[in-house]
Amino acid sequence: MALGKYSRVDNRRHNSSYCSTVTIVVFVGLCLVGVWMMTSSSVVPGQNVDVPAQENKNEVKQQVTESNEINTKQFEDNPGDLPEDATKGDNSMPEEKPEEKPEEKLEEKPDATKGENSMPEEKPEETPEEKPEEKPVEKTEEKSNEETKSDDGSDTETQNGVNNTEDVDAKTNDGETNTEDGGTKADDSEGNAAGQGDSEENSTGKKPDTDETETKSDENAGEDKDRETGNDQLDDKVDQKDDKESDKSSDGQANNQSSGELLPSGAQSELSNETSTQSGSWSTQAAESKNEKETQQSANQQKGYNWKLCNVTAGPDFIPCLDNLQAIRSLRSTKHYEHRERHCPEEPPTCLVLLPEGYKQPIEWPTSREKIWYHNVPHTQLAQYKGHQNWVKVTGEFLTFPGGGTQFQHGALHYIDFLNESVPGIAWGKRTRVILDVGCGVASFGGYLFDRDVLAMSFAPKDEHEAQIQFALERGIPAISAVMGTKRLPYPGRVFDAVHCARCRVPWHIEGGKLLLELNRVLRPGGFFVWSATPVYQKLAEDVEIWQAMTELTKAMCWELVSINKDKLNGVGVATYRKPTSNDCYEKRSKQEPPLCEASDDPNAAWNVPLQACMHKVPVGSLERGSQWPEQWPARLDKTPYWMLSSQVGVYGKPAPEDFTADYEHWKRVVSNSYLNGIGLNWSSVRNAMDMRSVYGGFAAALKDLNVWVMNVVTADSPDTLPIIYERGLFGIYHDWCESFNTYPRSYDLLHADHLFSKVKKRCNLAAVFAEVDRILRPEGKLIVRDKVEIINELENMARSMQWKVSMTYSKDKEGLLCVQKSMWRPKESETITYAIA
């Protein structure tokens, strides 16, 4: 109906009174006719003025009532933002039945964002007098504004004895819109979109800037929504932050569409827009000054974090838990390598580690296995000390690795094949998939085992062999800094298919074989211990003495000596032992030395647990983990471990086998549909990856076809699923992220954290955890976080304060995804860490 378009103006210009005196009715009617002639945009016959006006008021009022019934909850929390008559005036209007046709046309409006041209078509039976109303739009609004200003923005109506005051501010200032019956002025599309977008925010009681952190979008939103389905992908609200010039109008349009669903009638939309108007010029400021606002917001966020450089003796190689010199100086003894063990400070540092001068982006795999940039690990002592054994050499601006080692100077591949020929049961890459390499040096052995489909968990202490683990990681070979000292290694029991020691300098035979018994704990029943050392093939007095002690010890442990062979090319000998698969030998020993561990001793307990000189019994029950050898690789990756029973409840609440399968399917979809293509990650530059909170290893398993290895971290306060990860032919480690990780700075290309930070925040300083992330992540490396939206926002602020590049944020239903890239930026101020100063 034509009059419906300016019904709001009509209502504000006509003060209808239903008094008992006919004289007052006639007087008021004549006044209304005069006002209507000046303000109305329609040509209306004089004799019909009173009737259409009254009918239109009733029509609009019923629409307000119906829409308010639908959207009561939308507005009940914020009545202060609405005019008084909008919240309590519904019952003050006379109850007359409105015309059905105009109401039907209002509700059938397809789009509330199309402006004045989006009015429904007039039906043929309507009279021509109702159509010319669209011509004097601008003039009418100008008059309305003038009258509004003169009336101080309000008129007073007296109806049925009730005084109703209504704000009639009809100004349109840049971004503020005057939307009536669902229509929107098209003069300023950006302003209108922003204004209507904010009107929905304010109507639900949100702060105007909330939308920027939780409902961000750009042109890539559609692609990402198509890439992931169900619970496996956060389907809404994508923000590709590389394009910071995304239009504010896209947010407004999205909110307008949502508003069209929540507020179906034009009258109700009018109330929503009025709410936006009453919020002042905030929405306009957001629309017109978006870039400036983002700049100020970023500056304010950065002011919240005052990052400083770590002033420490270790400089760019600082590992907080291994470089706590104050704690090391206070040790009573270093006989058992206590000074190489972890000594974490009470308060983890929140400073950032310095970059080496001249640092460059690491060379990509597999070239990195042979050479790395000298300036990235500027240490030459090891090249001087071990260069003749082909560990590492300095070649111009590179450090080169000929692939040799103390026991395989002529190359690791020849040595690897020699071991397989000596003991065919090893079957690299089939039966033997995950091994532990003790005292690995620069990890050339583990580096070349990749060619045989074998994963090696290599470790060595941070000692006089300067930066050996750092060399390994820079080459793209998995390794950690650790020592066999007074505590158990951070791995569960019975998980490694084999253990290798090539001149690893560990005194296995002393103190009742305590250190060798620790290897027995982590070795699978039926697994091999490969020992390549001088006592095997040299006849010096010391070597002979050690060999005799090792022979007695391994026999008492029921290890079978499978073979002793000599590699003629390298001139070294190798002894290979096999761990028993039953307890028969243990029970038949004449002397119970070493003793069996108590039944209460958990072989999987490994976080800060002291070593004990005892052996755990071999599991023999058909459903006990370790009683059967895993499937051959690669079949074991997909197969549910035989000891996961349906009677057990998985981490995510389903029966354990279903939980395992669902997790794997989930991560395969996430990786293939999102991570490989949807987050702007160049996988050719990713070699060293870490899943900071792994459950079943699904993320790592989903990357099996890439040249990437993944360190799966099972946190100390999470369900112990690390044995499952090893059973699949993957590897990992226990860790508590309230402390620093045992690795050098700049070790990883990619860090992945699934709901880690929200859990860690309950126990730790989140800023210190993020500083640790900065420490172990390489410049230009990526961090992917899946967590609660509030955590995502906090981490995004931290990343921006470090001048990281925010590649993407993505949110749905309080869950979010964040992808950020570390920069080369370092702060100028420094902070002295007293416990790390020599």
Side-chain angles (χ1 to χ4, degrees), residues 594-611:
L596 293 176
C597 298
E598 296 291 335
S600 61
D601 191 309
D602 185 358
N604 297 319
W607 185 245
N608 291 328
V609 176
L611 287 179

Side-chain angles (χ1 to χ4, degrees), residues 84-275:
E84 184 178 351
D85 67 333
T87 60
K88 69 177 184 178
D90 288 351
N91 297 327
S92 65
M93 298 295 292
E95 296 182 358
E96 295 185 19
K97 185 176 180 180
E99 294 183 3
E100 294 181 358
K101 292 180 181 179
E103 178 182 349
E104 184 178 3
K105 285 186 285 185
L106 287 171
E107 292 180 350
E108 289 178 355
K109 183 177 292 298
D111 192 346
T113 65
K114 294 181 180 179
E116 56 186 333
N117 295 328
S118 64
M119 290 295 293
E121 296 180 359
E122 311 292 328
K123 290 189 176 181
E125 62 268 25
E126 293 181 350
T127 60
E129 287 82 1
E130 295 176 88
K131 295 181 180 179
E133 52 119 11
E134 296 186 9
K135 295 180 180 179
V137 173
E138 295 182 4
K139 183 177 180 180
T140 302
E141 289 188 353
E142 290 174 1
K143 291 180 179 181
S144 300
N145 290 340
E146 292 173 1
E147 294 177 15
T148 299
K149 293 176 183 177
S150 65
D151 293 338
D152 294 329
S154 63
D155 289 335
T156 303
E157 296 182 4
T158 305
Q159 299 176 355
N160 295 337
V162 180
N163 291 332
N164 295 323
T165 304
E166 181 175 6
D167 186 355
V168 295
D169 183 6
K171 292 191 293 183
T172 302
N173 294 329
D174 300 321
E176 293 182 8
T177 61
N178 181 14
T179 305
E180 303 191 3
D181 291 349
T184 307
K185 279 192 66 178
D187 301 288
D188 185 354
S189 60
E190 180 180 356
N192 286 341
Q196 292 186 7
D198 285 345
S199 73
E200 182 183 349
E201 290 173 359
N202 292 338
S203 69
T204 56
K206 294 181 181 179
K207 295 182 180 179
D209 61 349
T210 302
D211 191 63
E212 293 183 7
T213 59
E214 295 187 19
T215 58
K216 301 173 184 176
S217 63
D218 67 353
E219 70 269 7
N220 294 326
E223 296 179 10
D224 288 318
K225 287 177 70 175
D226 292 336
R227 289 194 182 108
E228 297 193 11
T229 60
N231 294 328
D232 305 318
Q233 179 75 352
L234 305 167
D235 293 320
D236 305 310
K237 310 169 186 175
V238 182
D239 179 18
Q240 292 286 354
K241 295 256 177 119
D242 291 337
D243 183 9
K244 290 190 178 181
E245 301 300 325
S246 60
D247 292 332
K248 176 76 173 181
S249 61
S250 63
D251 287 340
Q253 291 172 359
N255 286 335
N256 245 340
Q257 292 173 1
S258 176
S259 179
E261 294 174 3
L262 295 174
L263 310 172
S265 72
Q268 188 64 37
S269 180
E270 180 179 315
L271 291 177
S272 179
N273 189 68
E274 194 167 293
T275 301

Side-chain angles (χ1 to χ4, degrees), residues 355-362 373 375-377 474 745-747 749 777-780 824:
L355 291 178
E357 187 176 351
Y359 182 87
K360 299 180 181 180
Q361 282 303 110
W373 296 112
H375 287 291
N376 287 11
V377 192
E474 187 71 16
R746 305 169 300 282
S747 294
D749 304 300
L777 188 62
R778 290 171 171 171
E780 307 300 327
M824 300 282 285

Side-chain angles (χ1 to χ4, degrees), residues 758-825:
S758 56
K759 297 182 181 298
V760 168
K761 187 177 181 179
K762 299 175 183 178
R763 303 184 298 111
C764 321
N765 179 355
L766 198 59
V769 179
F770 202 78
E772 175 66 3
V773 167
D774 176 87
R775 190 184 71 85
I776 67 178
L777 188 62
R778 290 171 171 171
E780 307 300 327
K782 289 286 185 79
L783 167 68
I784 302 174
V785 182
R786 304 169 74 93
D787 219 309
K788 298 177 181 178
V789 167
E790 58 268 23
I791 295 294
I792 294 294
N793 294 337
E794 188 171 356
L795 295 178
E796 181 182 346
N797 292 344
M798 289 186 187
R800 290 186 182 280
S801 70
M802 291 183 182
Q803 300 188 20
W804 288 19
K805 180 180 180 181
V806 180
S807 302
M808 187 179 78
T809 58
Y810 199 83
S811 64
K812 176 186 177 182
D813 298 336
K814 299 182 180 180
E815 292 292 321
L817 173 68
L818 173 68
C819 182
V820 291
Q821 184 177 37
K822 179 180 174 180
S823 69
M824 300 282 285
W825 175 84

Side-chain angles (χ1 to χ4, degrees), residues 63-79 82 86-87 90 203-205 262-264 268 271:
Q63 291 172 8
V64 172
T65 303
E66 291 177 357
S67 186
N68 277 343
E69 289 175 355
I70 296 173
N71 298 285
T72 301
K73 292 182 180 180
Q74 173 104 8
F75 295 97
E76 66 184 2
D77 291 338
N78 195 17
L82 301 176
T87 60
D90 288 351
S203 69
T204 56
L262 295 174
L263 310 172
Q268 188 64 37
L271 291 177

Side-chain angles (χ1 to χ4, degrees), residues 426-447:
I426 289 179
W428 296 126
K430 295 180 180 179
R431 182 182 188 273
T432 301
R433 162 65 180 174
V434 185
I435 76 161
L436 181 67
D437 188 17
V438 183
C440 62
V442 295
S444 289
F445 179 67

Side-chain angles (χ1 to χ4, degrees), residues 209-478:
D209 61 349
T210 302
D211 191 63
E212 293 183 7
T213 59
E214 295 187 19
T215 58
K216 301 173 184 176
S217 63
D218 67 353
E219 70 269 7
N220 294 326
E223 296 179 10
D224 288 318
K225 287 177 70 175
D226 292 336
R227 289 194 182 108
E228 297 193 11
T229 60
N231 294 328
D232 305 318
Q233 179 75 352
L234 305 167
D235 293 320
D236 305 310
K237 310 169 186 175
V238 182
D239 179 18
Q240 292 286 354
K241 295 256 177 119
D242 291 337
D243 183 9
K244 290 190 178 181
E245 301 300 325
S246 60
D247 292 332
K248 176 76 173 181
S249 61
S250 63
D251 287 340
Q253 291 172 359
N255 286 335
N256 245 340
Q257 292 173 1
S258 176
S259 179
E261 294 174 3
L262 295 174
L263 310 172
S265 72
Q268 188 64 37
S269 180
E270 180 179 315
L271 291 177
S272 179
N273 189 68
E274 194 167 293
T275 301
S276 177
T277 302
Q278 290 181 357
S279 68
S281 60
W282 177 263
S283 60
T284 301
Q285 189 66 17
E288 294 183 346
S289 306
K290 179 175 180 292
N291 294 335
E292 176 62 22
K293 186 174 119 178
E294 286 188 350
T295 301
Q296 293 179 3
Q297 183 180 9
S298 178
N300 291 335
Q301 290 168 353
Q302 293 185 25
K303 290 178 182 178
Y305 301 98
N306 185 23
W307 304 108
K308 297 181 181 180
L309 282 177
C310 298
N311 179 21
V312 293
T313 300
D317 299 334
F318 180 46
I319 305 176
C321 288
L322 298 182
D323 291 321
N324 188 348
L325 303 181
Q326 183 177 1
I328 292 173
R329 284 192 292 263
S330 64
L331 291 173
R332 296 180 179 180
S333 172
T334 59
K335 178 182 178 181
H336 298 98
Y337 305 97
E338 291 91 344
H339 57 302
R340 307 298 186 194
E341 293 183 320
R342 292 171 60 83
H343 301 282
C344 298
E346 293 183 5
E347 293 294 331
T350 56
C351 54
L352 308 184
V353 176
L354 184 71
L355 291 178
E357 187 176 351
Y359 182 87
K360 299 180 181 180
Q361 282 303 110
I363 297 172
E364 294 182 2
W365 180 270
T367 305
S368 61
R369 185 167 60 180
E370 279 74 42
K371 66 178 182 179
I372 62 174
W373 296 112
Y374 164 77
H375 287 291
N376 287 11
V377 192
H379 300 293
T380 60
Q381 181 178 336
L382 197 60
Q384 299 169 2
Y385 183 55
K386 291 288 186 178
H388 67 287
Q389 295 177 349
N390 287 332
W391 279 37
V392 57
K393 297 179 181 294
V394 179
T395 308
E397 60 180 347
F398 301 102
L399 292 169
T400 57
F401 301 85
T406 304
Q407 297 298 96
F408 40 91
Q409 298 181 23
H410 295 282
L413 275 178
H414 166 80
Y415 176 73
I416 290 168
D417 292 339
F418 162 73
L419 296 178
N420 199 68
E421 293 169 2
S422 302
V423 185
I426 289 179
W428 296 126
K430 295 180 180 179
R431 182 182 188 273
T432 301
R433 162 65 180 174
V434 185
I435 76 161
L436 181 67
D437 188 17
V438 183
C440 62
V442 295
S444 289
F445 179 67
Y448 284 92
L449 277 172
F450 280 109
D451 293 354
R452 301 294 183 263
D453 269 345
V454 176
L455 278 179
M457 173 68 76
S458 303
F459 77 90
K462 187 178 184 182
D463 59 11
E464 66 275 7
H465 287 168
E466 188 182 38
Q468 53 187 337
I469 294 299
Q470 193 173 17
F471 284 137
L473 290 163
E474 187 71 16
R475 297 174 68 189
I477 303 170

